[in-house]
Amino acid sequence: MSEDKKEQGKREDIPSEEPRQQDHSKNSGEVSSGDSEAVKAKAETSPPPESEQDKIMKPLAGENAASPPPRAARSTRNQAESPKPEASEQKTASEPSDSAPKEGKVQAAEDREAKLKRAAEARAARAEAKAKKEEAEVLKEPSPMQPLLDKSVQWIRDKVSPEAVEDAFINELDGHRPYIIIKSDYWAETAKFVRDHEHFQLNYLRNVAGIDQETHMEVAYHLISLNTKQEFLFKVKTDREQPAVPSVTSVWQGANWQEREIYDLLGIDFPGHPDLRRIMMPDDWVGHPLRKDYEPIDPEV
Protein backbone atom coordinates (compact mmCIF):
# COMPACT_ATOMS: atom_id res chain seq x y z
CA MET A 1 0.00 0.00 0.00
CA SER A 2 2.81 2.26 0.75
CA GLU A 3 4.25 2.00 -2.79
CA ASP A 4 0.88 2.69 -4.27
CA LYS A 5 0.55 5.81 -2.20
CA LYS A 6 3.98 7.01 -3.20
CA GLU A 7 3.23 6.60 -6.87
CA GLN A 8 -0.07 8.33 -6.37
CA GLY A 9 1.63 11.17 -4.61
CA LYS A 10 4.13 11.56 -7.43
CA ARG A 11 1.35 11.65 -9.94
CA GLU A 12 -0.37 14.32 -7.94
CA ASP A 13 2.83 16.38 -7.84
CA ILE A 14 3.19 16.25 -11.71
CA PRO A 15 1.04 18.92 -13.26
CA SER A 16 -1.33 17.91 -15.99
CA GLU A 17 -0.49 18.67 -19.62
CA GLU A 18 -3.82 20.19 -20.45
CA PRO A 19 -3.24 23.49 -18.66
CA ARG A 20 0.13 23.77 -20.39
CA GLN A 21 -1.43 23.28 -23.73
CA GLN A 22 -4.05 25.86 -22.90
CA ASP A 23 -1.41 28.35 -21.77
CA HIS A 24 0.62 27.75 -24.91
CA SER A 25 -2.39 28.23 -27.07
CA LYS A 26 -3.24 31.33 -25.10
CA ASN A 27 0.28 32.70 -25.48
CA SER A 28 0.39 31.93 -29.19
CA GLY A 29 -2.91 33.69 -29.64
CA GLU A 30 -1.65 36.74 -27.88
CA VAL A 31 1.53 36.93 -30.04
CA SER A 32 -0.32 36.61 -33.31
CA SER A 33 -2.82 39.28 -32.38
CA GLY A 34 -0.79 41.80 -30.35
CA ASP A 35 2.75 41.61 -31.77
CA SER A 36 2.01 41.16 -35.52
CA GLU A 37 3.53 44.48 -36.53
CA ALA A 38 6.78 43.79 -34.69
CA VAL A 39 7.00 40.42 -36.33
CA LYS A 40 6.48 41.89 -39.78
CA ALA A 41 9.17 44.53 -39.20
CA LYS A 42 11.58 41.87 -37.97
CA ALA A 43 10.84 39.76 -41.03
CA GLU A 44 11.48 42.69 -43.37
CA THR A 45 14.80 43.66 -41.76
CA SER A 46 16.11 40.19 -41.34
CA PRO A 47 18.13 38.83 -44.28
CA PRO A 48 16.46 36.27 -46.46
CA PRO A 49 17.36 32.69 -45.82
CA GLU A 50 20.34 31.47 -47.74
CA SER A 51 19.72 29.07 -50.51
CA GLU A 52 21.89 26.11 -51.35
CA GLN A 53 23.47 28.03 -54.32
CA ASP A 54 24.37 30.95 -52.06
CA LYS A 55 26.01 28.60 -49.59
CA ILE A 56 28.12 27.16 -52.42
CA MET A 57 29.09 30.51 -54.02
CA LYS A 58 29.96 32.24 -50.75
CA PRO A 59 33.29 30.42 -50.21
CA LEU A 60 34.18 30.92 -53.88
CA ALA A 61 33.58 34.65 -53.57
CA GLY A 62 35.92 34.79 -50.63
CA GLU A 63 38.63 33.01 -52.59
CA ASN A 64 38.30 35.33 -55.61
CA ALA A 65 38.36 38.53 -53.55
CA ALA A 66 42.10 38.96 -54.13
CA SER A 67 41.84 38.56 -57.93
CA PRO A 68 41.27 41.78 -60.00
CA PRO A 69 37.75 42.44 -61.21
CA PRO A 70 36.86 42.08 -64.91
CA ARG A 71 37.92 44.82 -67.41
CA ALA A 72 34.43 46.20 -67.76
CA ALA A 73 34.05 46.36 -64.02
CA ARG A 74 37.47 48.04 -63.66
CA SER A 75 36.66 50.67 -66.26
CA THR A 76 33.32 51.36 -64.65
CA ARG A 77 34.98 51.62 -61.25
CA ASN A 78 37.76 53.90 -62.62
CA GLN A 79 35.21 56.19 -64.20
CA ALA A 80 33.32 56.31 -60.98
CA GLU A 81 36.46 56.84 -58.87
CA SER A 82 38.16 59.38 -61.22
CA PRO A 83 37.58 62.93 -60.00
CA LYS A 84 35.43 65.14 -62.15
CA PRO A 85 37.29 68.04 -63.81
CA GLU A 86 37.02 71.37 -62.17
CA ALA A 87 35.02 74.17 -63.76
CA SER A 88 38.23 75.92 -64.78
CA GLU A 89 39.51 72.76 -66.49
CA GLN A 90 36.26 72.40 -68.42
CA LYS A 91 36.48 76.03 -69.48
CA THR A 92 40.07 75.52 -70.62
CA ALA A 93 39.03 72.50 -72.66
CA SER A 94 36.33 74.55 -74.36
CA GLU A 95 38.65 77.46 -75.12
CA PRO A 96 40.10 76.08 -78.41
CA SER A 97 36.66 76.08 -80.05
CA ASP A 98 35.96 79.64 -78.90
CA SER A 99 39.47 80.96 -79.54
CA ALA A 100 39.35 80.47 -83.33
CA PRO A 101 36.72 83.19 -84.01
CA LYS A 102 38.44 85.49 -81.52
CA GLU A 103 41.81 85.00 -83.21
CA GLY A 104 40.21 85.68 -86.61
CA LYS A 105 38.72 88.95 -85.37
CA VAL A 106 42.02 90.00 -83.82
CA GLN A 107 43.88 89.17 -87.05
CA ALA A 108 41.36 91.14 -89.14
CA ALA A 109 41.73 94.13 -86.83
CA GLU A 110 45.51 93.95 -87.07
CA ASP A 111 45.36 93.71 -90.87
CA ARG A 112 43.06 96.73 -91.04
CA GLU A 113 45.39 98.75 -88.82
CA ALA A 114 48.36 97.73 -90.97
CA LYS A 115 46.54 98.82 -94.14
CA LEU A 116 45.60 102.15 -92.61
CA LYS A 117 49.17 102.64 -91.50
CA ARG A 118 50.53 101.89 -94.98
CA ALA A 119 47.97 104.21 -96.57
CA ALA A 120 48.93 107.00 -94.18
CA GLU A 121 52.61 106.44 -94.92
CA ALA A 122 51.92 106.51 -98.68
CA ARG A 123 49.97 109.77 -98.37
CA ALA A 124 52.73 111.29 -96.30
CA ALA A 125 55.33 110.18 -98.85
CA ARG A 126 53.32 111.68 -101.73
CA ALA A 127 52.85 114.93 -99.85
CA GLU A 128 56.55 115.07 -99.06
CA ALA A 129 57.49 114.34 -102.68
CA LYS A 130 55.09 117.02 -103.89
CA ALA A 131 56.50 119.55 -101.44
CA LYS A 132 60.04 118.71 -102.54
CA LYS A 133 59.06 119.05 -106.19
CA GLU A 134 57.46 122.43 -105.62
CA GLU A 135 60.46 123.57 -103.64
CA ALA A 136 62.80 122.33 -106.36
CA GLU A 137 60.79 124.17 -109.00
CA VAL A 138 61.02 127.35 -106.99
CA LEU A 139 64.70 126.98 -106.31
CA LYS A 140 65.82 125.45 -109.60
CA GLU A 141 67.55 127.58 -112.12
CA PRO A 142 65.72 128.47 -115.33
CA SER A 143 66.44 126.46 -118.45
CA PRO A 144 69.40 127.68 -120.50
CA MET A 145 67.07 127.75 -123.51
CA GLN A 146 64.52 130.02 -121.85
CA PRO A 147 66.06 133.28 -123.19
CA LEU A 148 66.02 131.85 -126.73
CA LEU A 149 62.38 130.83 -126.37
CA ASP A 150 61.38 134.24 -125.06
CA LYS A 151 63.09 136.03 -127.97
CA SER A 152 61.57 133.65 -130.53
CA VAL A 153 58.04 134.17 -129.21
CA GLN A 154 58.50 137.93 -129.21
CA TRP A 155 59.79 138.03 -132.81
CA ILE A 156 56.87 135.89 -134.07
CA ARG A 157 54.40 138.16 -132.35
CA ASP A 158 56.12 141.24 -133.73
CA LYS A 159 56.57 140.04 -137.34
CA VAL A 160 53.58 137.75 -137.87
CA SER A 161 50.80 138.63 -135.40
CA PRO A 162 50.41 139.25 -131.67
CA GLU A 163 47.86 136.43 -131.65
CA ALA A 164 49.96 133.94 -133.60
CA VAL A 165 51.52 132.21 -130.56
CA GLU A 166 49.03 130.21 -128.49
CA ASP A 167 51.54 128.81 -125.97
CA ALA A 168 55.29 128.23 -125.50
CA PHE A 169 57.44 126.25 -123.05
CA ILE A 170 60.74 124.39 -122.63
CA ASN A 171 60.53 120.61 -122.72
CA GLU A 172 63.29 119.55 -120.33
CA LEU A 173 62.71 115.85 -121.04
CA ASP A 174 63.42 116.54 -124.72
CA GLY A 175 66.80 118.08 -124.18
CA HIS A 176 65.41 121.50 -123.19
CA ARG A 177 63.94 121.92 -126.64
CA PRO A 178 61.74 125.02 -127.21
CA TYR A 179 58.08 124.14 -127.94
CA ILE A 180 55.93 126.81 -129.64
CA ILE A 181 52.22 126.28 -130.34
CA ILE A 182 50.94 128.32 -133.30
CA LYS A 183 47.31 128.98 -134.15
CA SER A 184 46.19 127.29 -137.35
CA ASP A 185 45.26 130.53 -139.12
CA TYR A 186 48.81 131.89 -138.76
CA TRP A 187 50.77 128.72 -139.43
CA ALA A 188 51.55 129.19 -143.13
CA GLU A 189 52.92 132.71 -142.59
CA THR A 190 54.85 131.65 -139.45
CA ALA A 191 56.47 128.74 -141.36
CA LYS A 192 57.90 131.11 -143.97
CA PHE A 193 59.08 133.50 -141.28
CA VAL A 194 61.01 130.92 -139.19
CA ARG A 195 62.60 129.51 -142.38
CA ASP A 196 63.92 132.84 -143.65
CA HIS A 197 64.56 134.88 -140.50
CA GLU A 198 68.22 135.07 -139.47
CA HIS A 199 67.34 134.36 -135.85
CA PHE A 200 65.72 130.98 -136.69
CA GLN A 201 67.09 129.78 -140.07
CA LEU A 202 64.98 126.58 -139.74
CA ASN A 203 65.69 125.34 -143.24
CA TYR A 204 65.21 121.63 -142.69
CA LEU A 205 62.02 119.74 -141.75
CA ARG A 206 63.05 116.58 -139.94
CA ASN A 207 59.62 115.09 -139.29
CA VAL A 208 55.88 115.75 -139.34
CA ALA A 209 53.61 113.81 -136.98
CA GLY A 210 49.85 113.74 -136.50
CA ILE A 211 48.45 113.23 -132.97
CA ASP A 212 44.94 112.30 -131.87
CA GLN A 213 44.40 113.90 -128.44
CA GLU A 214 40.77 112.70 -128.27
CA THR A 215 39.52 116.23 -127.60
CA HIS A 216 41.32 117.69 -130.60
CA MET A 217 43.92 116.86 -133.27
CA GLU A 218 47.49 118.13 -133.48
CA VAL A 219 50.27 118.26 -136.07
CA ALA A 220 53.86 118.51 -134.81
CA TYR A 221 56.70 119.84 -136.97
CA HIS A 222 60.27 119.02 -135.95
CA LEU A 223 62.53 121.72 -137.44
CA ILE A 224 66.29 122.22 -137.32
CA SER A 225 68.70 124.83 -138.63
CA LEU A 226 71.50 123.26 -140.61
CA ASN A 227 73.53 126.43 -140.02
CA THR A 228 73.17 126.87 -136.23
CA LYS A 229 72.13 123.29 -135.36
CA GLN A 230 69.34 124.76 -133.24
CA GLU A 231 66.12 122.71 -133.04
CA PHE A 232 62.54 123.83 -132.51
CA LEU A 233 59.24 122.04 -132.35
CA PHE A 234 56.14 123.79 -133.64
CA LYS A 235 52.65 122.46 -132.95
CA VAL A 236 49.37 123.37 -134.62
CA LYS A 237 46.05 122.39 -133.00
CA THR A 238 42.87 121.83 -135.00
CA ASP A 239 39.26 120.76 -134.56
CA ARG A 240 38.45 117.06 -134.29
CA GLU A 241 35.27 117.01 -136.34
CA GLN A 242 36.73 118.85 -139.35
CA PRO A 243 40.51 118.91 -138.80
CA ALA A 244 42.48 121.12 -141.15
CA VAL A 245 46.01 122.60 -141.03
CA PRO A 246 47.50 124.72 -143.85
CA SER A 247 50.02 122.77 -145.91
CA VAL A 248 53.68 123.78 -145.71
CA THR A 249 54.78 121.72 -148.71
CA SER A 250 55.66 124.95 -150.52
CA VAL A 251 57.95 125.91 -147.61
CA TRP A 252 59.58 122.51 -146.99
CA GLN A 253 59.29 119.93 -149.75
CA GLY A 254 59.79 117.15 -147.23
CA ALA A 255 56.27 117.79 -145.91
CA ASN A 256 54.65 116.45 -149.11
CA TRP A 257 54.41 112.73 -148.40
CA GLN A 258 54.28 113.18 -144.61
CA GLU A 259 51.16 115.35 -144.88
CA ARG A 260 49.62 112.74 -147.20
CA GLU A 261 50.31 110.01 -144.64
CA ILE A 262 48.68 112.06 -141.85
CA TYR A 263 45.69 112.73 -144.11
CA ASP A 264 45.40 109.02 -144.91
CA LEU A 265 45.67 107.63 -141.36
CA LEU A 266 44.21 110.44 -139.25
CA GLY A 267 41.96 112.31 -141.66
CA ILE A 268 43.53 115.75 -141.19
CA ASP A 269 43.11 117.94 -144.23
CA PHE A 270 45.99 120.10 -145.51
CA PRO A 271 44.63 122.91 -147.65
CA GLY A 272 47.18 124.08 -150.23
CA HIS A 273 48.75 120.64 -150.68
CA PRO A 274 49.55 119.96 -154.37
CA ASP A 275 48.45 116.28 -154.38
CA LEU A 276 46.56 115.38 -151.21
CA ARG A 277 45.34 111.77 -151.52
CA ARG A 278 45.78 108.48 -149.72
CA ILE A 279 49.29 107.11 -149.71
CA MET A 280 48.93 103.84 -147.74
CA MET A 281 45.27 102.71 -147.70
CA PRO A 282 43.15 102.06 -150.83
CA ASP A 283 41.18 105.01 -152.16
CA ASP A 284 37.87 103.33 -151.25
CA TRP A 285 38.94 102.60 -147.66
CA VAL A 286 36.38 103.79 -145.10
CA GLY A 287 37.76 105.67 -142.10
CA HIS A 288 41.23 106.49 -140.81
CA PRO A 289 42.97 103.64 -138.92
CA LEU A 290 45.06 105.76 -136.51
CA ARG A 291 42.15 107.67 -135.05
CA LYS A 292 41.19 106.53 -131.56
CA ASP A 293 37.52 106.31 -132.50
CA TYR A 294 38.20 104.19 -135.59
CA GLU A 295 35.92 101.18 -136.07
CA PRO A 296 36.75 98.89 -139.01
CA ILE A 297 33.90 97.65 -141.16
CA ASP A 298 35.47 94.19 -141.39
CA PRO A 299 37.07 93.23 -138.01
CA GLU A 300 39.08 90.46 -139.65
CA VAL A 301 41.04 92.91 -141.77
Side-chain angles (χ1 to χ4, degrees):
M1 291 295 293
S2 60
E3 294 178 356
D4 295 335
K5 287 181 181 182
K6 287 180 182 180
E7 293 177 359
Q8 186 177 2
K10 291 178 181 180
R11 290 176 183 175
E12 289 178 356
D13 293 335
I14 298 170
S16 62
E17 295 177 3
E18 293 179 4
R20 290 182 179 179
Q21 293 177 356
Q22 291 178 0
D23 293 338
H24 179 72
S25 62
K26 183 177 180 180
N27 292 333
S28 63
E30 289 176 357
V31 171
S32 61
S33 61
D35 299 333
S36 60
E37 295 180 358
V39 173
K40 289 180 181 180
K42 185 177 181 181
E44 292 176 357
T45 56
S46 61
E50 295 181 355
S51 61
E52 294 296 331
Q53 185 177 2
D54 295 337
K55 292 179 180 180
I56 296 170
M57 296 299 295
K58 189 173 182 180
L60 296 176
E63 294 176 359
N64 296 331
S67 62
R71 184 178 297 176
R74 289 201 304 272
S75 62
T76 305
R77 187 191 304 174
N78 293 334
Q79 293 178 1
E81 292 178 356
S82 61
K84 294 182 178 180
E86 298 293 335
S88 61
E89 295 179 358
Q90 294 180 356
K91 185 176 180 181
T92 304
S94 63
E95 281 179 358
S97 60
D98 298 337
S99 62
K102 292 180 180 179
E103 290 179 358
K105 291 180 180 179
V106 171
Q107 186 65 32
E110 291 178 355
D111 293 343
R112 184 172 180 275
E113 290 179 0
K115 289 181 180 178
L116 293 175
K117 185 178 179 180
R118 288 194 297 269
E121 292 176 354
R123 287 194 297 270
R126 288 196 298 269
E128 184 178 359
K130 184 178 180 181
K132 289 182 178 180
K133 184 178 179 181
E134 292 177 353
E135 183 179 358
E137 290 178 354
V138 172
L139 298 176
K140 73 176 182 180
E141 297 180 357
S143 172
M145 302 300 293
Q146 189 65 43
L148 174 63
L149 177 64
D150 295 338
K151 290 180 180 180
S152 301
V153 170
Q154 188 61 42
W155 285 332
I156 293 172
R157 287 175 176 171
D158 293 341
K159 301 298 181 178
V160 178
S161 173
E163 298 178 357
V165 178
E166 186 175 351
D167 193 9
F169 57 92
I170 298 294
N171 189 344
E172 296 180 359
L173 299 178
D174 193 13
H176 291 265
R177 182 174 302 178
Y179 276 52
I180 302 176
I181 300 174
I182 303 297
K183 291 183 179 180
S184 178
D185 296 338
Y186 301 98
W187 171 233
E189 186 177 355
T190 301
K192 293 178 181 180
F193 174 74
V194 298
R195 183 196 64 181
D196 299 335
H197 194 275
E198 60 181 0
H199 170 71
F200 293 99
Q201 303 182 36
L202 300 176
N203 49 15
Y204 183 74
L205 178 64
R206 300 182 59 180
N207 184 41
V208 183
I211 307 167
D212 184 356
Q213 298 287 10
E214 294 186 355
T215 57
H216 63 279
M217 309 294 284
E218 290 180 355
V219 180
Y221 298 85
H222 297 259
L223 300 169
I224 184 173
S225 173
L226 298 178
N227 301 326
T228 63
K229 309 301 180 183
Q230 180 59 52
E231 297 187 24
F232 281 83
L233 188 141
F234 286 85
K235 278 189 176 183
V236 182
K237 296 181 179 180
T238 183
D239 182 62
R240 184 179 179 82
E241 298 302 325
Q242 295 180 350
V245 175
S247 176
V248 290
T249 302
S250 60
V251 180
W252 298 288
Q253 291 295 320
N256 190 334
W257 281 22
Q258 296 186 68
E259 289 180 352
R260 286 180 59 183
E261 182 181 2
I262 295 171
Y263 166 77
D264 188 3
L265 301 179
L266 289 169
I268 299 176
D269 188 17
F270 291 93
H273 192 282
D275 187 18
L276 190 62
R277 55 188 173 89
R278 287 186 181 272
I279 192 174
M280 300 182 69
M281 310 303 293
D283 293 337
D284 58 349
W285 190 268
V286 178
H288 306 280
L290 290 187
R291 290 179 68 105
K292 294 183 178 180
D293 57 354
Y294 172 70
E295 294 182 2
I297 296 177
D298 189 356
E300 296 181 359
V301 177

